[in-house]
Amino acid sequence: MSLIFFRTPDEELLEMYREAVPFMAAFVDSVDSAEATSAALTALAERIRSMDREQRGNYLLDCSKAYSSTFYIGKIVPLTESNYLSATGNYNEENVDQVLAEYTQTGYKAELPHTNEPADHIGFELGFMADVSARAAYCAENGDVEQMIKGLKIQAAFFDGHLGLWYEPLCTRVLAKGNNNCFFHLLIAVLKVFLNEDRELIRELTI
């Protein structure tokens, strides 16, 4: 999911999204307040599946326009932590340095081809959480409980000190723009459900 915040969807991302929808829908379906989001996800996946080549091309063009209108046109929706947590509401190098220090603990690199976004971009922060989660899961599968707990604590600290402080305002700004069936609107709705649940799970596991 983190990749979608760095660029507008292309054929590769659209196909990844379509394949992931059943898993996303099943997850949000398990949350009492998210049935409508689950249904909208499934409907959009079916729509994508039934498109011919020309229709997919037109849909990708619509997604490109939706990306701009969702994040950059009208009421701008910033995608970096600094804009939500700094005193000025603007890019802040101190915020970025704090995030980078957290990344250094695990060797996570906030780097992607063709992007110059700062380390506190939502895509990088989600990527960091996913990376640490995958490492913790690997440790659990191999019986390394100590390292698993260490990973979960790193996740908890990062969530409480960074991502958990600003994902809700970001989601609220996007969802307030309306267009419930927009590609990005749906992804943000899923993201909000997932991070709300993830926050509770991390807290339970690190008590």
Side-chain angles (χ1 to χ4, degrees), residues 11 23 32 34 36 47 50 56 64 87 106 109 128 135 156 163 176 204:
E11 282 284 353
F23 303 100
D32 290 342
R47 180 184 168 198
S50 66
R56 285 172 75 93
S64 179
T106 64
K109 302 290 185 183
F128 174 74
R135 292 174 190 234
L163 184 58
E204 288 176 12

Side-chain angles (χ1 to χ4, degrees), residues 39-77:
L41 278 170
T42 303
L44 181 54
E46 287 300 320
R47 180 184 168 198
I48 293 171
R49 186 178 291 110
S50 66
M51 290 176 183
D52 59 29
R53 186 180 183 86
E54 182 179 357
Q55 288 171 328
R56 285 172 75 93
N58 289 334
Y59 183 70
L60 286 171
L61 182 59
D62 288 342
C63 283
S64 179
K65 294 175 181 176
Y67 182 86
S68 297
S69 64
T70 299
F71 299 113
Y72 298 111
I73 294 176
K75 251 189 168 178
I76 293 174
V77 179

Side-chain angles (χ1 to χ4, degrees), residues 100-139:
L100 281 171
E102 298 284 345
Y103 295 166
T104 301
Q105 291 187 72
T106 64
Y108 176 74
K109 302 290 185 183
E111 299 171 358
L112 275 177
H114 315 302
T115 182
N116 295 315
E117 297 293 353
D120 66 340
H121 186 277
I122 183 70
F124 285 132
E125 295 203 3
L126 289 172
F128 174 74
M129 291 287 286
D131 184 69
V132 176
S133 178
R135 292 174 190 234
Y138 177 82
C139 291

